[in-house]
Amino acid sequence: MKRILSLLLVSIFVFISPLQVQAATVKPYYEIFSMIRGTSGSYYVYDIPLMWNNKSTNGTLQLKINYSEYVSSTQSVLRGVIASNYAAWDKSGYTSASLAGTANATVHFVYPTTTYWKNMFGGNEGDIAGTLLYDSKGTLIQSASAAYQSTKLINRANIVFNPNKTHSNNMNTKKSLIHELGHVLCLGHPIDKSCFPQEYHMYTEEMTNITSIMHQGLASQYNYIPDLPSQYDYNAIKTKYGY
């Protein structure tokens, strides 16, 4: 009887060990850039520490914003939303966004043609906007393999608005803009069912209870998506960039 019990205990240990190892390898969202966009869809990358490397002398991460070049003056409402919210992450005390001319800008807001949107984002009509990242060699990162082969240092980004949607001065447009700025900073989504189905069962309660503007999807899927970055989001910046 003791021998049978011993064998059972060994069997149980062998069975649960892989789950324990899997749980330990799942990374918090600030270590994941989860929206590398390609024409065939989105790619989720777990272990590529993409990040900016342009802290100023006062220690803040500098973002130089331009929206006048690639967002037409006919899109005056959209320009107004950008002007009011481009510095939303600065409340963390870790970032500093300022307006810049085209030549000096590191982050461009873009209102493209429908052809450009289709070519860069596969014509996805569910999104209000999307983010494109470029490394320090100017290489556009649109796949996991490109991310692995990149310099891992980001020095330019484009936030591209879907030209097939009407961008009004409402909370959806504002939240999407601030959410995409989070992707510019190389933050991913908190783990959720649509992004990480294999890990979701282990983190359901923990991740859906997180208050974060970086959640993907509608507020009804989570307890709360704030209007601005939360303290959890600010802590993600702090951890990712070593503040």
Side-chain angles (χ1 to χ4, degrees), residues 41-55:
S42 301
Y43 299 85
Y44 303 106
V45 181
Y46 288 78
D47 56 350
I48 306 174
L50 301 176
M51 62 190 300
W52 291 73
N53 188 29
N54 59 341
K55 287 185 182 179

Side-chain angles (χ1 to χ4, degrees), residues 113-171:
T113 64
T114 54
T115 300
Y116 181 92
W117 177 262
K118 183 177 181 179
N119 289 340
M120 301 306 290
F121 296 99
N124 189 338
E125 299 311 319
D127 292 341
I128 292 177
T131 295
L132 300 173
L133 295 181
Y134 298 80
D135 74 3
S136 56
K137 291 185 177 179
T139 302
L140 173 61
I141 301 174
Q142 277 196 294
S143 68
S145 61
Y148 277 109
Q149 295 169 20
S150 73
T151 65
K152 314 297 189 299
L153 296 177
I154 304 304
N155 72 348
R156 185 163 68 89
N158 290 346
I159 294 178
V160 186
F161 290 92
N162 185 345
N164 300 309
K165 286 186 175 293
T166 300
H167 301 288
S168 57
N169 187 13
N170 61 24
M171 194 55 67

Side-chain angles (χ1 to χ4, degrees), residues 51-114:
M51 62 190 300
W52 291 73
N53 188 29
N54 59 341
K55 287 185 182 179
S56 67
T57 53
N58 66 4
T60 58
L61 187 65
Q62 301 289 292
L63 296 179
K64 297 180 180 180
I65 307 292
N66 181 280
Y67 62 86
S68 60
E69 181 73 12
Y70 301 115
V71 178
S72 169
S73 58
T74 60
Q75 296 292 324
S76 57
V77 173
L78 182 55
R79 279 190 171 195
V81 175
I82 297 170
S84 299
N85 296 285
Y86 72 83
W89 286 86
D90 289 3
K91 292 182 179 180
S92 67
Y94 308 128
T95 64
S96 179
S98 59
L99 295 178
T102 304
N104 297 322
T106 55
V107 181
H108 289 275
F109 285 90
V110 181
Y111 186 85
T113 64
T114 54

